[in-house]
Amino acid sequence: MNLLHELNDPIQYLKGVGEAKAKKFACLGIKTIYDLLTYYPRLYQDRSKVNRIFSLQNGQKETFSGIVIGHTNAAFHRKGIKLTKTCVSDGTGYVYLLFFGGYNMEKTLPLRTKIFVTGRIRRYQGEIQVTDFEYEIIDEKERELLHTNRIVPIYSLTEKVPASIGQRMIRQAVQQALEKFCNIKDMLPAEILLRQQLSDYYTALKNIHLPESQEEYKKARNRLVFNEFFLLQLAFGISQKKIATTEAGIRYFTCGKLVDTFINSLPFTLTEAQKRVIKEIMDDMSKPIPMNRLIHGDVGSGKTVVAACAALIACENGYQTAFMSPTEILAEQHFLTLSRLLQPLEIRLGVLTSSTKKRQRDNLLDRTKEGKIDILIGTHALIQDAVIFKQLGLCIIDEQHRFGVVQRAALKEKARDKDNQPITPDILVMTATPIPRTLALTLYGDLSTSVIDELPPSRLPVITRCRSEQSMDKIFSFIRQEVSDGRQAYIVYPLIEESEEMDLKAAVTMFEELKKVFPEFHLGLLHGQMKVQEKDETMTAFYNHQINILVSTTVIEVGIDVSNATIMLIEHAQRFGLAQLHQLRGRVGRGGHKSYCILMATEKIANMVNSNIPLNQIDDTIFKGAKRLQTMCETNDGFKIAEVDLEIRGPGEFFGTRQHGMPELKLANIIYDAQLLELARKEAFALLKNDPFLTDIDHQDIKKTFFYEFKDRIELGSVG
Ligand code: ADP
Ligand code: MG
């Protein structure tokens, strides 16, 4: 008996495959039995319901059976392609199967052959026809019908695959493989299968490909999804254990007064969610093991204040904090915000980016090294070798998904204790992209998570509409009216074709245009290629209300906080991702004024968005774009938006698979299968609790499989 991944036999030796076909399979990445059996169907068609010909519905995909009663070779004018019509009857009517390309159908389908056909029915010139169909000959000797009269698997075929490889070929090979290797071993211990009521592995494989019923399919899928999650969570469990056992952390005293003083000094009261998360952080920090906590909360949920509390605890204990942000403008903004908030407490802050002037930079580095800076805020400039801390104990990383794992580790390296010895710091990761809990578990399974699931009461939902060029005049007069009332507006241009040059040009050109449209207002321009000082000046002018309308590229995406701004106009909105759109919209609706987000798109997309037709054809770019904009119009809830985003894009693309070392999930969907993920996590952690190094004789198959799946991806330290 073999584990599935041990089945490395080339598929060439399967009955009916052979060398030539094996080459074609290789185009799909299928070389071995393992590859083939884990090439799961993309979808299924229920062809188990066989209809009588007289009842076939025009335009529907239907299955019927019958006997071949004749062939006619019709001349098909276009491009000299020959057309053969094969007539099939079941006694209740006739259907013509249309074959293009001059096949010898008399030979392939001799008269009186019994066949099953599934295809889309059309009534044309008084005939019932099918053009897009699959058929299977009923051979009384054959054991089982594969392509029709059953639930039929449909596999993905990419464009790169030769036309001669088809669904039938894959199905046949799969069927052969399943027959030949019917004793594939289960890697999971029987007790887990029993406890979670999972079917055995071979049955699951068989039924994922060739289910006899919906129920069988569901059970099979459950089992295989569980498997994927189980292995993944095992990996997290192992790396977490490694952190806990090998690294001692800082035990902070958290009963000081600084945090309370700070909270009392704020011009607002914290939300319950903020209070809860601050408490979770304090609990972590007071323990001798290092904190590894992820905070996720929607745009504007007030993460900065929470992070400041953590920094204050570090500060009170004599430790410095490094606060890393993804962009210069955001680092600057954090610096300004925190300076303002922490001023009464006499906390010493600094900001370091790649455009900090040399003299200032040298001074800053000196003070950091001497311990005269309590919180050093910055971009990835913080991880440069020149940056040396006297006693760094806390790393706060904002918008983490923009940083690679490497940067995170490099920052960690800089931590020092009071004797200037290396130490493992506490880590707080903040993300403004609200991550569905299930995704957090899969992506950051090694971090504890806190959610700020409540917005400050002053936040109003932003009224969001999708419009096209045609409505431009109306929109301009709306902006004019709002700005005349004292409000401010953002107009944003997307990154076009990933080229900053073009991006810039579009924004600059439009800036000039808009100045003509709004001669009575002050317009400002903000883009990524401006000097920091220029950016600062523009931002400050916008803060101070000297600029009414800010025209910008996406540099304003994160963190900008001007509560008087009420309009966010986004050009070419269909080009933005959902997370980005949500971030942008989060720039307005921050004060007491009603706010608006106007998403500009092509007329076609705007019509689709506004038509209320459910947009479910999500593999099409236009549909995807429209679906994103429709979602924005429907909800302000960041978590819902993140879920739709995940649904449209898939988890790999959500953050970029490679950066996170996240293995691709073949079958599991972290939204729909959330429950299974939890169960798998429980089982995986329970197993590791009893057998942390997978030494148990019953766990050897898991161990082997685990190593096979993760050998390149996860540092396994002591295991194995
Ligand atoms: P984000 O989570 O998007 O980083 P910020 O921390 O930037 O949010 O907070 C956004 C704005 O809300 C800031 O101006 C901040 O001072 C303010 N704020 C934070 N917490 C509260 C609260 N509990 N009540 C009112 N305003 C708050
Ligand atoms: Mg923020």
Side-chain angles (χ1 to χ4, degrees):
M1 274 188 53
N2 285 317
L3 290 166
L4 179 61
H5 70 264
E6 290 169 348
L7 298 178
N8 277 322
D9 305 20
I11 55 164
Q12 183 179 336
Y13 302 119
L14 285 175
K15 197 173 125 208
V17 178
E19 201 173 336
K21 279 189 186 166
K23 278 214 183 92
K24 292 177 186 163
F25 274 102
C27 301
L28 290 169
I30 302 173
K31 293 181 181 128
T32 63
I33 302 296
Y34 171 80
D35 299 337
L36 180 67
L37 290 182
T38 55
Y39 198 79
Y40 302 127
R42 182 168 60 90
L43 50 91
Y44 301 83
Q45 275 175 7
D46 190 349
R47 300 180 183 171
S48 55
K49 195 166 161 283
V50 183
N51 290 306
R52 312 304 298 267
I53 288 174
F54 81 94
S55 71
L56 296 178
Q57 301 280 325
N58 190 24
Q60 298 297 310
K61 201 143 200 172
E62 307 231 49
T63 297
F64 57 91
S65 72
I67 291 168
V68 175
I69 59 168
H71 301 279
T72 45
N73 286 314
F76 187 66
H77 322 296
R78 246 184 293 154
K79 291 177 189 158
I81 297 171
K82 280 189 195 143
L83 166 65
T84 308
K85 284 184 177 180
T86 297
C87 184
V88 174
S89 172
D90 68 350
T92 73
Y94 305 96
V95 180
Y96 293 89
L97 315 184
L98 271 45
F99 294 94
F100 296 95
Y103 298 107
N104 185 352
M105 295 319 298
E106 272 109 2
K107 193 167 160 235
T108 325
L109 292 176
L111 291 184
R112 310 225 56 80
T113 309
K114 268 190 177 175
I115 60 172
F116 268 109
V117 182
T118 301
R120 193 165 305 278
I121 305 299
R122 68 163 192 178
R123 288 178 187 269
Y124 183 71
Q125 295 182 342
E127 290 178 352
I128 304 175
Q129 302 182 339
V130 283
T131 47
D132 171 21
F133 60 92
E134 287 192 49
Y135 67 87
E136 180 154 12
I137 297 170
I138 306 171
D139 180 344
E140 310 295 353
K141 285 171 283 177
E142 260 184 42
R143 313 131 297 185
E144 178 179 25
L145 285 171
L146 192 53
H147 309 293
T148 187
N149 196 31
R150 57 167 298 136
I151 297 174
V152 175
I154 311 283
Y155 298 89
S156 357
L157 296 173
T158 56
E159 280 143 35
K160 280 172 260 156
V161 171
S164 52
I165 183 166
Q167 299 294 341
R168 299 166 70 90
M169 237 168 91
I170 303 179
R171 274 175 221 141
Q172 269 151 4
V174 165
Q175 193 185 37
Q176 285 302 322
L178 284 168
E179 252 170 51
K180 190 166 166 192
F181 299 96
C182 59
N183 55 359
I184 294 169
K185 206 165 148 193
D186 204 317
M187 84 276 298
L188 288 187
E191 61 193 59
I192 294 184
L193 298 185
L194 205 64
R195 204 162 34 233
Q196 302 301 342
Q197 305 192 333
L198 296 167
S199 54
D200 76 85
Y201 197 58
Y202 176 76
T203 310
L205 279 175
K206 183 162 177 284
N207 289 340
I208 198 75
H209 288 286
L210 300 167
E212 298 281 336
S213 65
Q214 277 280 342
E215 289 75 60
E216 273 190 12
Y217 158 74
K218 276 191 195 141
K219 272 196 209 153
R221 189 177 176 284
N222 261 18
R223 166 61 212 260
L224 298 173
V225 166
F226 183 92
N227 240 63
E228 285 186 355
F229 284 147
F230 183 83
L231 291 171
L232 193 61
Q233 294 303 319
L234 210 56
F236 281 134
I238 287 169
S239 61
Q240 211 168 39
K241 186 147 271 132
K242 203 192 137 220
I243 292 168
T245 51
T246 58
E247 296 176 21
I250 305 158
R251 168 183 262 154
Y252 292 96
F253 293 97
T254 53
C255 358
K257 285 274 163 291
L258 216 45
V259 172
D260 282 346
T261 313
F262 170 63
I263 291 174
N264 290 331
S265 77
L266 291 171
F268 44 77
T269 25
L270 295 181
T271 61
E272 288 308 311
Q274 283 171 316
K275 287 185 203 159
R276 189 186 66 233
V277 173
I278 291 170
K279 185 172 177 309
E280 284 166 352
I281 291 171
M282 285 168 86
D283 284 350
D284 277 2
M285 290 182 77
S286 66
K287 287 183 189 143
I289 48 171
M291 167 167 77
N292 276 292
R293 186 166 286 277
L294 170 76
I295 300 181
H296 53 102
D298 209 343
V299 179
S301 61
K303 293 182 289 294
T304 317
V305 174
V306 171
C309 290
L312 287 175
I313 294 169
C315 185
E316 212 166 22
N317 282 265
Y319 283 95
Q320 293 166 293
T321 297
F323 191 143
M324 190 158 72
S325 288
T327 63
E328 270 179 35
I329 202 154
L330 190 55
E332 297 280 344
Q333 167 126 10
H334 275 316
F335 175 70
L336 289 176
T337 313
L338 289 174
S339 299
R340 190 162 39 89
L341 292 173
L342 299 175
Q343 201 175 22
L345 304 173
E346 294 178 351
I347 304 294
R348 297 160 301 179
L349 289 95
V351 58
L352 179 74
T353 68
S354 44
S355 42
T356 307
K357 295 259 162 49
K358 175 142 183 7
R359 208 152 47 105
Q360 212 182 336
R361 180 185 134 97
D362 289 348
N363 175 280
L364 196 57
L365 292 179
D366 285 346
R367 285 193 294 150
T368 304
K369 198 171 169 183
E370 289 161 16
K372 290 180 184 156
I373 291 282
D374 300 309
I375 306 176
L376 184 61
I377 299 160
T379 54
H380 57 272
L382 291 183
I383 62 176
Q384 293 162 356
D385 287 342
V387 183
I388 297 167
F389 289 87
K390 181 159 191 272
Q391 196 183 337
L392 173 66
L394 175 67
C395 301
I396 299 174
I397 300 168
D398 193 13
E399 313 283 344
Q400 197 266 343
H401 60 275
R402 300 226 182 159
F403 292 112
V405 178
V406 180
Q407 272 116 324
R408 195 160 116 193
L411 190 58
K412 250 173 95 172
E413 294 285 296
K414 294 187 184 290
R416 294 292 179 275
D417 68 5
K418 65 181 189 325
D419 304 316
N420 207 249
Q421 294 304 305
I423 189 172
T424 307
D426 279 18
I427 299 214
L428 197 59
V429 175
M430 306 197 293
T431 172
T433 308
I435 309 168
R437 183 178 150 62
T438 46
L439 181 58
L441 271 183
T442 357
L443 277 182
Y444 303 103
D446 54 340
L447 302 183
S448 327
T449 54
S450 293
V451 193
I452 309 185
D453 50 5
E454 185 187 353
L455 293 179
S458 57
R459 297 277 180 283
L460 292 173
V462 179
I463 297 161
T464 306
R465 297 286 182 267
C466 182
R467 294 288 180 261
S468 72
E469 201 66 35
Q470 285 187 317
S471 321
M472 218 58 220
D473 287 344
K474 266 197 212 157
I475 293 168
F476 283 152
S477 57
F478 179 67
I479 293 177
R480 179 165 286 116
Q481 186 192 319
E482 279 283 300
V483 175
S484 301
D485 285 350
R487 304 286 83 76
Q488 287 162 283
Y490 297 98
I491 300 182
V492 181
Y493 289 86
L495 199 85
I496 292 165
E497 293 171 340
E498 305 286 311
S499 141
E500 239 178 276
E501 299 274 303
M502 303 261 303
D503 183 22
L504 190 62
K505 219 165 109 195
V508 174
T509 320
M510 280 321 291
F511 179 59
E512 296 305 323
E513 291 288 309
L514 287 164
K515 277 205 279 199
K516 288 179 213 150
V517 178
F518 298 110
E520 71 271 45
F521 299 138
H522 292 289
L523 274 69
L525 176 66
L526 196 67
H527 59 75
Q529 291 181 9
M530 283 159 68
K531 298 232 168 65
V532 176
Q533 206 191 336
E534 290 175 299
K535 277 194 241 173
D536 275 355
E537 279 167 17
T538 308
M539 272 319 299
T540 312
F542 193 62
Y543 271 117
N544 296 337
H545 218 143
Q546 289 148 343
I547 290 176
N548 308 109
I549 301 174
L550 186 64
V551 180
S552 148
T553 60
T554 46
V555 288
I556 63 153
E557 182 194 337
V558 274
I560 285 177
D561 194 14
V562 177
S563 61
N564 186 50
T566 56
I567 294 182
M568 170 62 68
L569 176 76
I570 305 174
E571 286 283 354
H572 305 292
Q574 76 271 11
R575 294 197 183 139
F576 288 90
L578 261 177
Q580 221 179 357
L581 288 171
H582 182 60
Q583 285 286 340
L584 284 170
R585 181 169 62 181
R587 301 305 111 211
V588 296
R590 300 184 149 235
H593 305 290
K594 217 177 208 179
S595 297
Y596 308 86
C597 176
I598 307 161
L599 306 167
M600 300 303 295
T602 60
E603 206 184 323
K604 183 175 176 190
I605 289 189
N607 285 339
M608 284 164 76
V609 172
N610 296 321
S611 69
N612 288 328
I613 298 168
L615 299 170
N616 292 326
Q617 261 168 282
I618 54 176
D619 12 295
D620 179 290
T621 4
I622 292 181
F623 270 93
K624 275 187 187 175
K627 174 90 180 170
R628 287 197 292 268
L629 302 188
Q630 197 175 57
T631 307
M632 288 295 293
C633 294
E634 278 166 4
T635 181
N636 272 272
D637 180 335
F639 281 86
K640 265 194 209 128
I641 290 172
E643 291 194 354
V644 175
D645 200 17
L646 199 54
E647 201 179 311
I648 299 177
R649 298 204 291 175
E653 227 187 295
F654 194 79
F655 282 129
T657 307
R658 236 163 283 131
Q659 178 182 300
H660 287 270
M662 188 172 91
E664 233 178 284
L665 296 166
K666 280 190 171 163
L667 213 52
N669 176 309
I670 49 192
I671 293 177
Y672 302 128
D673 303 317
Q675 237 180 337
L676 274 171
L677 174 54
E678 297 273 357
L679 293 175
R681 184 175 172 81
K682 249 187 234 156
E683 288 290 357
F685 279 59
L687 186 131
L688 282 177
K689 197 164 175 225
N690 292 327
D691 182 18
F693 302 105
L694 301 179
T695 45
D696 193 313
I697 187 103
D698 288 341
H699 299 157
Q700 292 320 295
D701 290 341
I702 295 177
K703 188 169 173 176
K704 274 195 230 163
T705 309
F706 178 77
F707 272 99
Y708 180 80
E709 294 286 341
F710 290 99
K711 56 185 180 279
D712 312 322
R713 287 185 269 227
I714 286 190
E715 265 181 74
L716 290 167
S718 49
V719 174

